Amino acid sequence: MVFALILLTVPFGRVVAHSLYRLLPETVEHEAQVPADIVDLAEVPTGTLLRRSDGRLAFLTPDDAVLDLALPAPCQQLAHRQRTIAACALGTTGIALLDASAEGAPGVRTVPVDGDVTAVMVIGTRLVAGTRDGRIVLFEAGESVERLGELDLGDEPVTAVMTPPGLVAVGIGSNLVLVDAAHPDGMTPITSLPLGGPAVKVDYVGSAIYAAGGSELTVVDVARPDAPHTLARLDAGGPITGFNLANSTVGWVVADGVPTRAVRNSLNGQVWWGLAWGPAADTIACGGGFSRLTCLTPDRRLLRYDIYPSKDEVVLVVGAVVGGLIVLWIGLLLWRRPEGFV
């Protein structure tokens, strides 16, 4: 009975967690001023990568010093996903890999690609590039860079790429194309799903892929890669320019220059996401990961926000507290029971 009562605290914990994420405001942990021509950013563990309007790259150190980085060509797209390695799409020059694993300015390594690179992503040692003529090229980028495979998806430029385990998720035109990459030398398309507009960004957490296009954030379950299905389409209320996933529960969608916190809602069946409010400042771009969110404002201030624990962590704490109180209450009842009471 005690165990059953403790289990009943889980729905209660989810209600409390969902309410907290709608009510708690983000707080600015750190603020820094950056040059006036910064248009994009990416957070790495040792600092912040900054892309200038002319494609030059800079690096903001933890003590707010701005260091210029030398690239062989302008950076057209800056990509980073939870690791110490970031990447830049360099057009016909290929890809720049940026190693930010040590303190100081990141090291730069150039990877040549056959074609005009318009999109890029690196996760660990897996590197994928998308080209203007609709191809994706997959690499293994360890101490050396090895080309693994290539796939032609059509004539439209690739604008977003991501590499969930065993897959490549591609934003091309106004579609999300899922590619089976279990055998990189023989990649094959699985399916094409329509987006709300031209693809802006693709990301994933667990078995869910998130793709932004137009004013919609589309969430796709790929637990069975051979049978993906759409979980939800979130209307952000304006053109999405980017989004960031803090964890499996909370993310930020940047639409019309304002980042809005999106809270995953497991209380209403297939209504997986509900918009909640977030940082109030107008925003040019945001970057971040599972520990922090950093946004660039029109007056070129970097605002680094606190990210609260995930909903699952809140559920665990609430369940432990309420369960402990239930056990204590039952213990007191048994301790004070009248003589002869069984």
Side-chain angles (χ1 to χ4, degrees):
M1 183 182 73
V2 174
F3 182 70
L5 288 172
I6 293 175
L7 286 179
L8 289 176
T9 65
V10 173
F12 175 73
R14 290 189 178 277
V15 172
V16 172
H18 190 71
S19 300
L20 285 175
Y21 274 109
R22 287 187 174 274
L23 296 176
L24 288 176
E26 285 79 17
T27 57
V28 177
E29 177 188 87
H30 183 74
E31 180 177 333
Q33 196 73 35
V34 297
D37 59 348
I38 301 300
V39 295
D40 197 8
L41 63 95
E43 279 285 344
V44 292
T46 54
T48 306
L49 289 161
L50 306 171
R51 186 170 67 88
R52 299 177 185 270
S53 57
D54 60 2
R56 290 179 297 138
L57 211 61
F59 183 69
L60 183 70
T61 66
D63 58 0
D64 295 338
V66 178
L67 308 176
D68 289 325
L69 303 180
L71 297 179
C75 178
Q76 300 178 14
Q77 185 189 80
L78 180 60
H80 174 254
R81 174 56 155 78
Q82 310 305 327
R83 293 293 185 270
T84 58
I85 304 293
C88 268
L90 302 179
T92 55
T93 303
I95 302 168
L97 286 179
L98 310 162
D99 186 352
S101 58
E103 293 183 2
V108 179
R109 178 169 44 156
T110 304
V111 179
V113 179
D114 180 21
D116 185 353
V117 179
T118 52
V120 66
M121 180 53 67
V122 58
I123 302 179
T125 60
R126 188 55 59 95
L127 172 65
V128 61
T131 65
R132 190 171 300 280
D133 59 0
R135 292 179 296 116
I136 57 170
V137 188
L138 196 59
F139 300 88
E140 181 72 15
E143 293 184 2
S144 61
V145 179
E146 176 187 358
R147 183 180 176 279
L148 300 177
E150 178 180 320
L151 179 65
D152 190 345
L153 293 174
D155 298 329
E156 293 185 278
V158 174
T159 53
V161 285
M162 180 52 70
T163 57
L167 299 171
V168 178
V170 185
I172 181 169
S174 295
N175 295 287
L176 170 67
V177 178
L178 301 180
V179 175
D180 184 350
H183 302 286
D185 58 345
M187 292 186 289
T188 56
I190 298 173
T191 189
S192 178
L193 302 170
L195 300 177
V200 173
K201 182 177 179 179
V202 180
D203 206 342
Y204 79 97
V205 171
S207 63
I209 292 176
Y210 302 78
S215 61
E216 284 187 349
L217 180 64
T218 301
V219 188
V220 181
D221 183 5
V222 292
R224 288 186 54 195
D226 59 334
H229 66 280
T230 301
L231 294 174
R233 293 183 181 273
L234 171 67
D235 184 359
I240 296 176
T241 56
F243 66 90
N244 293 86
L245 302 175
N247 48 49
S248 61
T249 302
V250 181
W252 284 263
V253 179
V254 183
D256 278 340
V258 178
T260 304
R261 184 169 48 185
V263 181
R264 184 169 179 174
N265 184 353
S266 59
L267 301 176
N268 298 327
Q270 291 300 308
V271 182
W272 280 68
W273 284 77
L275 280 180
W277 65 280
D282 288 342
T283 297
I284 293 175
C286 289
F290 291 172
S291 61
R292 61 187 179 184
L293 178 76
T294 301
C295 292
L296 175 67
T297 65
D299 58 358
R300 280 11 183 223
R301 289 179 298 135
L302 281 187
L303 303 178
R304 185 166 296 136
Y305 294 94
D306 284 330
I307 292 179
Y308 290 95
S310 71
K311 185 184 292 183
D312 291 338
E313 291 170 333
V314 176
V315 169
L316 180 62
V317 171
V318 171
V321 171
V322 175
L325 290 175
I326 291 174
V327 171
L328 179 62
W329 175 68
I330 293 175
L332 286 173
L333 286 179
L334 294 175
W335 178 61
R336 300 184 62 181
R337 70 184 185 276
E339 290 186 8
F341 176 79
V342 178

